[in-house]
Amino acid sequence: MGGAIEFCTLGMFILDDIEFDDGKPPVYGIAGGAGTHAVVGARLVAGPEHSKAVSWIVDVGSDFPQPILDQIQSWNTSCMIRVDKSRLTTRAWNGYGANEKRNFKYLTPKLRLEPEMLSDEQVTSKSFHMVCSSERAIRIVEEISRRRKVLQPDQTSKPVFVWEPVPDRCTPEDQDKFLAACRVVDIVSPNELELGMMFGRPGWNENNNGDREIVHKILRSGIGEDGNGAIVIRAGKHGCYAYGKGQRRIWLPAYHQPTPEGQSSVVDPTGAGNSFLGALAQGMVSSDDRLPMQIITSNLAGSATWSKLIDTWGNKSQVLKALICAISAAGFAVEQIGVPNVSRTEDGSECWNGTRFTERLHMYTQRLCKVLEESSQTQNWLTE
């Protein structure tokens, strides 16, 4: 069955308790964790036709709620459920303060996923999502690569590794380890705060020359085995910035934008970054004949700026389409507390929060076409 899996995460399932300081009522014991949210992102891009291509591990303790298990199984993913009634399910507290600043702590002992726990089928996945320290990222890549060589000694293709650094290890002391880990993954994606912290700054701003030099330093050090990987900086309500070697760069706005009255559809940002990266990883390995990629290609075909971006990124241009999938998926993640709700219409179409993913993708790419053309008048997207 090697090659049947397209996405696999080493992020955990966690029962989340979430508390806010802005008057929103708290919620307790909902489906969460980096792995869960990443799977939702990948599952949105894969669609119901390829849902079994999305794989993960869920550790079920004695207190695991049956409704959440039913919810997980309704996604129809390749989910390995491991039951251990002698322990509690991993649970964590999330506290949100001003400017969406998140505080986090585990409430029960965590059961971290290791590459040795993956099945042979999962090890042969086309893409992997990791949220971990630099040292662990290197070890995961090495162990998965070792096992793949044993299972498929004649296989020359390599999987896509998408790495999300853990916030508490984004420090100047870890900078050299961070750069070393970047060289073994294909995409590294800190958020703007974490990237700044890694280099001793309060945050990262695309318009600051010193902050832009941080990106150049990372690219000079190398991302990926061939140095042609990308850094994707997640910037919340400001969208994302992606950079690659050879003057490759792009900015994409967030899916949800405030109304003229200042209203927003964002309810809770928990898990949005994970969903973004799960969708990004799945988008990196989704073929052009699938509907999401056809929508992107068709709707942006008339944009001269998009065509130039495709040419600039060359054989790495799949990143651009994957980023659009990621932005669209993250838009679902923030609309409620917890994971988005999946349902089916009378005609059998799959909807998340009442909307088809492909419909969101269609609306976003139509808006993006205008944004790219307007931006090209005031900002040179094609050179550093």
Side-chain angles (χ1 to χ4, degrees):
M1 298 180 66
I5 300 299
E6 297 179 351
F7 170 86
C8 182
T9 180
L10 283 99
M12 294 184 292
F13 174 93
I14 298 176
L15 290 174
D16 267 344
D17 295 346
I18 306 177
E19 295 180 351
F20 307 89
D21 71 349
D22 61 358
K24 292 179 188 174
V27 294
Y28 301 102
I30 61 172
T36 307
H37 290 290
V39 160
V40 170
R43 175 63 177 75
L44 281 162
V45 179
E49 304 87 355
H50 305 282
S51 62
K52 287 295 186 181
V54 176
S55 185
W56 56 318
I57 296 174
V58 173
D59 284 302
V60 172
S62 60
D63 59 340
F64 202 96
Q66 184 61 44
I68 291 183
L69 189 59
D70 295 340
Q71 181 183 37
I72 288 171
Q73 292 175 329
S74 73
W75 302 341
N76 197 34
T77 58
S78 293
C79 181
M80 181 193 300
I81 296 176
R82 305 190 303 182
V83 180
D84 184 353
K85 298 292 186 180
S86 68
R87 66 181 296 272
L88 296 174
T89 306
T90 302
R91 184 184 293 264
W93 172 83
N94 302 262
Y96 280 97
N99 298 316
E100 298 182 354
K101 186 179 185 302
R102 176 186 177 220
N103 296 301
F104 177 89
K105 64 179 179 181
Y106 287 103
L107 301 177
T108 62
K110 66 179 179 181
L111 183 55
R112 193 166 68 178
L113 297 179
E114 302 292 353
E116 296 85 354
M117 299 174 181
L118 300 179
S119 68
D120 288 351
E121 187 177 13
Q122 288 173 322
V123 166
T124 58
S125 173
K126 293 181 180 179
S127 71
F128 293 90
H129 164 254
M130 309 173 288
V131 49
C132 57
S133 67
S134 302
E135 302 98 318
R136 188 161 176 257
I138 293 172
R139 195 181 76 78
I140 288 173
V141 172
E142 289 176 344
E143 177 59 19
I144 288 176
S145 299
R146 184 194 66 78
R147 286 187 59 189
R148 289 171 70 95
K149 288 180 181 178
V150 173
L151 291 168
Q152 300 175 329
D154 299 326
Q155 181 62 260
T156 57
S157 62
K158 296 180 180 179
V160 173
F161 288 99
V162 175
W163 175 42
E164 180 180 354
V166 288
D168 59 356
R169 297 294 296 275
C170 291
T171 65
E173 293 75 21
D174 265 39
Q175 191 179 124
D176 288 342
K177 296 176 182 177
F178 168 77
L179 293 174
C182 286
R183 290 191 285 270
V184 303
V185 300
D186 299 279
I187 293 176
V188 56
S189 181
N191 66 29
E192 55 190 344
L193 175 61
E194 293 159 356
L195 181 59
M197 289 164 46
M198 182 71 72
F199 290 84
R201 293 171 176 264
W204 181 89
N205 187 316
E206 199 264 351
N207 295 318
N208 183 292
N209 289 334
D211 290 350
R212 288 283 292 277
E213 177 54 31
I214 289 174
V215 173
H216 292 314
K217 179 176 180 177
I218 295 169
L219 292 174
R220 286 194 300 268
S221 175
I223 302 174
E225 287 186 358
D226 58 1
N228 282 319
I231 178 169
V232 176
I233 304 163
R234 291 169 286 119
K237 62 185 178 182
H238 301 297
C240 73
Y241 302 85
Y243 296 85
K245 190 172 71 174
Q247 299 184 340
R248 298 170 179 150
R249 67 188 181 108
I250 189 172
W251 166 73
L252 294 176
Y255 182 86
H256 290 297
Q257 298 293 318
T259 65
E261 296 76 26
Q263 298 175 327
S264 173
S265 299
V266 177
V267 174
D268 175 22
T270 306
N274 309 129
S275 293
F276 176 97
L277 293 176
L280 177 63
Q282 178 63 45
M284 288 290 292
V285 297
S286 293
S287 59
D288 286 341
D289 61 354
R290 293 187 184 178
L291 186 55
M293 299 306 170
Q294 290 179 346
I295 290 172
I296 294 170
T297 300
S298 174
N299 283 357
L300 292 172
S303 168
T305 303
W306 178 253
S307 296
K308 291 177 182 177
L309 284 165
I310 291 292
D311 290 342
T312 302
W313 284 75
N315 61 359
K316 300 295 180 179
S317 63
Q318 186 70 15
V319 173
L320 303 179
K321 290 176 270 189
L323 284 170
I324 291 173
C325 290
I327 285 281
S328 301
F332 286 93
V334 301
E335 294 173 344
Q336 67 289 303
I337 297 174
V339 296
N341 300 308
V342 62
S343 62
R344 287 194 175 274
T345 62
E346 290 183 0
D347 65 1
S349 299
E350 180 181 88
C351 293
W352 295 77
N353 291 350
T355 310
R356 294 190 303 274
F357 174 71
T358 50
E359 183 179 348
R360 289 278 184 96
L361 205 57
H362 180 72
M363 291 187 290
Y364 182 77
T365 47
Q366 285 188 321
R367 295 200 326 246
L368 180 61
C369 192
K370 296 179 182 178
V371 168
L372 288 173
E373 296 313 304
E374 291 170 358
S375 298
S376 68
Q377 304 303 313
T378 58
Q379 187 169 348
N380 188 346
W381 290 98
L382 307 176
T383 60
E384 293 295 346

